[in-house]
Amino acid sequence: MKLLSWNIQWGRGMDGRVDIPRILRTIRELGDFDVICLQEVAVNFPGLPGSRGENQVAELSAGLPGYTPIYGGATDVSDGHGGRSQFGNAIFSRLPVGQVWRHMLPWPAEPDAPSMQRVLVGVVVESDVGPLRVMTTHLEYYSLRQREAQIDSIRRLHAEACAMSARLPQAEEVGGSFEVFPRPMQALLCGDMNFPASAAERVRILAPFAGGEPAFRDAWEVLHPGEAHAPTCGIHPVDFVDRPECCDFIFLTEGLAGRLKAHRIDAATEASDHQPVWVECG
């Protein structure tokens, strides 16, 4: 099972051009992926630099035949012309998809910090390593307080999912909208976390759970113990980091760590201000 995670910056490359076909070409050149998780995907948002208001979910879906698209708009606002402008994360899966979740993450008010709504998009997929949950997110950039609240929310949601996985459905939950679908304990969490590998927020994500739920492991650390994380942004000069940093992570639960075969980063592409990251489990 191969999973790719990439903050595509609404398709805007280092040359300032928004080019979704270039994003698709890059993905195809990197490999044959079962699940593709993308952050900063826009729909009808001409206010974004370089954008013409593309429906990027539709463009990406057309370029990924055979994949099921799942989109979660964190921002969903009027475009002023009777339509909606959306900005969020997407998962494309060619594996069978079960239940889907779109969780709005905490957005505590801070009068002195710019911020925006953030979302965690999650799906259950049937893979050759068994059923698992795939989650992707993009945490707040400007505010440590908000990132911490968002991490705590993701951990709480993971604990809830683990509790649900062990629960037997009741008679009233068979058929109809109350039907209980599988929610496996094993999970992958990926995305642009907006903190460096040395930050306390990474430790917060990886902390053990009081209830004994399977904790998250950092995929890089599993395969490269003791080695500094390879950078995923700032390789090509950008204004939000002053040196190359790892801000894009793939975390996986302990039950999957032993099946992790590869962790890769494409440092060459300039199709976005972040680099694609991917893992292979077998």
Side-chain angles (χ1 to χ4, degrees):
M1 197 277 289
K2 294 181 69 175
L3 176 144
L4 176 137
S5 178
W6 192 9
N7 180 337
I8 64 169
Q9 194 189 210
W10 62 94
R12 184 171 184 249
M14 299 304 296
D15 57 5
R17 290 192 302 112
V18 172
D19 189 342
I20 295 299
R22 175 170 58 185
I23 294 293
L24 289 163
R25 285 196 305 273
T26 302
I27 292 173
R28 285 192 290 267
E29 289 167 1
L30 292 178
D32 189 22
F33 298 101
D34 299 299
V35 182
I36 298 167
C37 298
L38 304 178
Q39 303 88 48
E40 294 200 27
V41 180
V43 175
N44 187 29
F45 230 122
L48 296 170
S51 176
R52 303 176 305 281
E54 313 89 349
N55 184 333
Q56 297 182 351
V57 176
E59 289 190 27
L60 289 162
S61 297
L64 294 168
Y67 287 77
T68 300
I70 299 99
Y71 183 62
T75 297
D76 186 334
V77 296
S78 169
D79 67 358
H81 305 286
R84 309 295 298 176
S85 296
Q86 297 175 310
F87 189 73
N89 309 323
I91 298 176
F92 296 85
S93 174
R94 68 178 181 188
L95 302 176
V97 175
Q99 194 163 0
V100 174
W101 295 268
R102 299 172 180 87
H103 299 286
M104 292 299 173
L105 296 178
W107 189 13
E110 289 190 83
D112 300 322
S115 62
M116 61 181 290
Q117 178 67 63
R118 306 288 175 163
V119 64
L120 175 75
V121 181
V123 303
V124 169
V125 298
E126 293 289 338
S127 76
D128 56 5
V129 297
L132 54 90
R133 285 176 293 119
V134 173
M135 300 174 285
T136 191
T137 193
H138 180 199
L139 300 184
E140 181 54 52
Y141 171 70
Y142 290 102
S143 168
L144 170 62
R145 176 189 171 204
Q146 292 189 30
R147 282 195 302 277
E148 290 177 338
Q150 290 159 6
I151 290 167
D152 290 347
S153 178
I154 291 169
R155 285 174 54 84
R156 177 182 56 78
L157 290 166
H158 174 62
E160 286 182 1
C162 290
M164 287 294 292
S165 74
R167 178 182 178 273
L168 295 176
Q170 300 182 28
E172 295 85 353
E173 297 171 333
V174 177
S177 60
F178 273 86
E179 185 167 357
V180 176
F181 293 92
R183 192 180 295 193
M185 287 192 180
Q186 301 306 328
L188 286 147
L189 167 65
C190 66
D192 176 4
M193 303 299 170
N194 269 325
F195 56 71
S198 58
E201 297 101 291
R202 191 182 76 96
V203 177
R204 198 180 191 104
I205 287 179
L206 302 179
F209 285 83
E213 297 85 358
F216 288 107
R217 301 279 303 278
D218 183 332
W220 172 270
E221 198 169 56
V222 169
L223 294 181
H224 305 277
E227 294 183 29
H229 284 64
T232 65
C233 59
I235 295 172
H236 312 294
V238 290
D239 59 3
F240 56 86
V241 292
D242 55 11
R243 64 182 183 277
E245 293 276 12
C246 177
C247 294
D248 304 84
F249 297 88
I250 299 177
F251 303 110
L252 68 170
T253 47
E254 294 164 338
L256 294 173
R259 308 193 70 162
L260 184 64
K261 303 299 182 185
H263 180 292
R264 300 282 187 268
I265 298 167
D266 173 27
T269 183
E270 298 185 17
S272 171
D273 60 352
H274 285 250
Q275 310 305 127
V277 180
W278 68 97
V279 295
E280 181 174 356
C281 295

